[in-house]
Amino acid sequence: MLRILQGVSAGGEWGGAVLMTVEHAPKGKRGFFGIFPQLGVPLGMLLASGVLALMRVLAPGEAFEEWGWRVPFLISVVLIIVGFVIRRTVDESPVFSEIKESKQLGSAPIVQVFRRHTPLVVLCALLFAGNNGVGYMLTGGYVQGLASRPKTEGGLGYDPVQVQLAVLTAALVWGIFTFLSGPLSDRFGRKKLMTFAWLIQAVGVVPLFQFVEHGGAFHVLLGTSLLAIGLGLTYGPAAVWFAESFPASLRYSGISISYALGGVIGGAFAPTIAQVLLQTYSTTWAITVYLMFITLIGLFAATLLRDRTDVPLSIEFEKSGQWANWKSEKDFVGS
């Protein structure tokens, strides 16, 4: 239940952050601007892994189980304060200001989103679920838990500090490829890059647990870092693609709902499903098949979602009646 609530609340926060960046971006650089909200995930995972590794050193063994794990949660209050201050001081996006001045704010936008764009919401949700479900193996702590739990408790018994440092390195790789995905999507288009990116994610999914299960913490680093390449490439362009998929009057509600649904479908239950599969079939290959299925769902959504790279985002363009029929020059399948 808490994971579901987390997904819903994150959807609203993420949607606002995306519009702040994408709608402020100059034409031709939206992908680059749009990756900055996305960088929050790998940078957050890097920060969390570092703090957890530090706490395992300062409070080893039973001390970590008793009180050490609480410290990172308490420290995270600082991030809430930072986020609140930023929200209070940053200017509204140009498109929102235009909508407000022209008095085009719609009533019941959530209802309107589902009434007018249900298939689009579903595709965007599935696109995000394909990344989020696989990414939650790291951000949800499943790989870390499996690798560092004692063998008597069903884990692999690796050194917890080394495991956290391995995932910290993977978070850095994730951040690098998330950053690169923005300008790449500006150059090649959202659909073309994301279609390629899903194939890279699939390549990382297959050997993940084979690395994790054999060779200790160093192999955890190799497996998670390889996976992080595809995760970065599929996560980075999602922000701008979502923003360009919905018209101005319903954009905030549309992308927030899609993100929240994708988070619930893909990530809320992923660690639990992975553990059930492991206990049922006694092999991590069952988890690999599950992660590959999620990845293919993301690929399927990417093939059906229209490429609207550089579509005008203003309310005036929506009112002109050209929104529905506009096509990107970079839509390589002509859909």
Side-chain angles (χ1 to χ4, degrees):
M1 181 59 69
L2 289 175
R3 287 188 183 276
I4 293 173
L5 292 175
Q6 180 188 38
V8 172
S9 62
E13 175 67 12
W14 178 85
V18 167
L19 295 193
M20 286 291 185
T21 54
V22 173
E23 292 182 351
H24 270 105
K27 184 177 179 180
K29 293 187 177 181
R30 288 181 193 155
F32 174 69
F33 275 60
I35 55 97
F36 286 95
Q38 308 300 79
L39 285 173
V41 169
L43 293 181
M45 190 171 73
L46 190 153
L47 181 61
S49 298
V51 173
L52 283 172
L54 176 62
M55 290 310 304
R56 284 190 177 275
V57 172
L58 296 178
E62 293 183 0
F64 182 83
E65 301 295 335
E66 292 177 359
W67 61 271
W69 66 271
R70 301 178 187 272
V71 175
F73 284 92
L74 296 175
I75 295 176
S76 69
V77 172
V78 176
L79 298 178
I80 298 175
I81 297 173
V82 171
F84 179 78
V85 171
I86 292 174
R87 282 291 190 217
R88 295 287 294 177
T89 56
V90 73
D91 293 332
E92 295 288 0
S93 74
V95 176
F96 180 83
S97 298
E98 179 189 7
I99 294 174
K100 189 174 181 179
E101 291 175 4
S102 61
K103 299 181 179 180
Q104 296 294 321
L105 290 172
S107 60
I110 295 178
V111 175
Q112 292 297 320
V113 165
F114 281 107
R115 181 177 297 172
R116 295 163 52 183
H117 300 290
T118 296
L120 180 57
V121 169
V122 172
L123 286 178
C124 287
L126 292 179
L127 186 79
F128 178 55
N131 171 276
N132 191 240
V134 176
Y136 242 72
M137 294 296 100
L138 303 183
T139 59
Y142 183 79
V143 168
Q144 298 93 307
L146 176 64
S148 60
R149 279 196 305 271
K151 293 182 179 181
T152 56
E153 299 177 12
L156 299 172
Y158 301 157
D159 180 81
V161 175
Q162 292 183 7
V163 170
Q164 290 295 341
L165 292 177
V167 175
L168 184 151
T169 304
L172 181 60
V173 174
W174 190 342
I176 291 172
F177 280 90
T178 298
F179 185 83
L180 293 176
S181 70
L184 286 174
S185 74
D186 286 329
R187 180 174 180 179
F188 298 106
R190 322 304 177 207
K191 180 188 284 282
K192 190 171 185 178
L193 176 64
M194 288 280 282
T195 302
F196 172 76
W198 288 116
L199 300 179
I200 299 299
Q201 181 171 304
V203 170
V205 162
V206 174
L208 172 63
F209 286 102
Q210 299 308 302
F211 274 116
V212 170
E213 285 187 295
H214 304 95
F218 178 72
H219 281 66
V220 174
L221 184 153
L222 293 177
T224 56
S225 296
L226 180 61
L227 180 67
I229 296 173
L231 289 175
L233 293 175
T234 55
Y235 189 57
V240 65
W241 203 355
F242 278 30
E244 290 177 331
S245 295
F246 290 91
S249 61
L250 299 173
R251 186 170 296 130
Y252 179 48
S253 297
I255 67 175
S256 298
I257 293 169
S258 300
Y259 187 92
L261 289 177
V264 172
I265 295 171
F269 307 106
T272 303
I273 293 173
Q275 186 62 22
V276 169
L277 289 173
L278 181 61
Q279 292 176 346
T280 302
Y281 296 100
S282 300
T283 175
T284 55
W285 279 112
I287 306 176
T288 300
V289 172
Y290 164 63
L291 298 182
M292 182 62 71
F293 175 72
I294 297 175
T295 299
L296 292 178
I297 287 177
L299 175 61
F300 171 77
T303 59
L304 296 182
L305 192 61
R306 288 182 59 181
D307 191 334
R308 292 178 172 271
T309 301
D310 294 333
V311 62
L313 299 178
S314 67
I315 186 66
E316 292 300 324
F317 182 74
E318 179 186 351
K319 290 168 60 180
S320 71
Q322 302 179 62
W323 175 268
N325 298 319
W326 191 91
K327 292 184 179 181
S328 169
E329 296 178 358
K330 294 184 175 72
D331 188 348
F332 73 104
V333 295
S335 59

